[in-house]
Amino acid sequence: MKLNPALDQSALAQAFAKDQRLQIGDFLDQPDALRLAAEFENIDWRLVLNEGKQHFDIAPHQLEAMTPEQMSALHRAALLRGETEFQYIYKNYPVSDVAEGSGLTSPVLEETLKFMNSADVLQFLNGVTGCSADYCDVQATRYENGHFLTTHDDNVDGKNRPFAYV
């Protein structure tokens, strides 16, 4: 896996410095991006949501056991909370957490985690942001109809997140 060689770190750094946010198009070399996108069709997505400060992680087998009425009620409750407080509901696959726990079974995701934490990527991202991150926490997210994430800050205790990326 490799970075797109056409990326201009200096121009990206200037854009980031101006707005403190940035969209980097075509971050990966195209063949790697396509391989990763194909792998996302083969993973067991979990539904994640919160209620206040409590995080819920619903496994695929639990989702399959839910009735349409239960799923609808879950979504409605999240939407209502999202009107007045921090709220999220979307599908994810926590690559870093799975790697640290039971271990990744996907060679592509294992390669992606190693790549995102390689010296080349960390140096590139640190050069763009001006931060000194030493680890990329990797998760895949999938937003489907009705999924959302309200305005928030990714500063999570113990995660040392000077910036977030999607």
Side-chain angles (χ1 to χ4, degrees):
M1 196 160 282
K2 61 184 176 181
L3 284 169
N4 178 348
L7 295 175
D8 182 341
Q9 185 183 36
S10 178
L12 292 169
Q14 287 177 359
F16 184 81
K18 179 179 176 246
D19 297 327
Q20 292 299 294
R21 61 182 1 197
L22 175 68
Q23 180 175 355
I24 303 176
D26 299 325
F27 183 75
L28 296 174
D29 197 39
Q30 187 177 23
D32 291 328
L34 292 172
R35 200 163 47 98
L36 184 57
E39 186 62 18
F40 288 149
E41 298 306 316
N42 300 316
I43 62 176
D44 290 329
W45 293 98
R46 302 139 191 238
L47 184 70
V48 295
L49 69 148
N50 69 304
E51 186 172 341
K53 292 188 177 193
Q54 189 169 8
H55 171 84
F56 294 95
D57 193 327
I58 305 172
H61 72 277
Q62 294 169 308
L63 289 171
E64 290 171 10
M66 292 177 76
T67 66
E69 293 79 17
Q70 290 171 317
M71 190 62 93
S72 180
L74 190 75
H75 279 97
R76 269 195 320 276
L79 280 170
L80 285 172
R81 287 190 300 271
E83 291 178 2
T84 59
E85 60 189 85
F86 171 59
Q87 182 65 52
Y88 56 85
I89 183 168
Y90 56 84
K91 289 188 176 176
N92 95 330
Y93 188 83
V95 177
S96 295
D97 293 346
V98 171
E100 290 174 13
S102 58
L104 292 168
T105 58
S106 163
V108 174
L109 293 180
E110 191 170 320
E111 180 184 355
T112 301
L113 179 60
K114 288 178 183 172
F115 167 73
M116 290 302 296
N117 284 285
S118 68
D120 286 347
V121 170
L122 292 171
Q123 287 170 0
F124 179 83
L125 293 174
N126 288 339
V128 168
T129 63
C131 293
S132 59
D134 59 2
Y135 180 74
C136 278
D137 189 12
V138 178
Q139 77 168 331
T141 57
R142 175 174 276 180
Y143 288 83
E144 296 177 348
N145 287 336
H147 291 175
F148 64 93
L149 170 63
T150 59
T151 302
H152 68 289
D153 153 337
D154 274 353
N155 187 12
V156 176
D157 289 339
K159 288 283 190 174
N160 184 26
R161 293 179 172 167
F163 59 89
Y165 70 96
V166 177

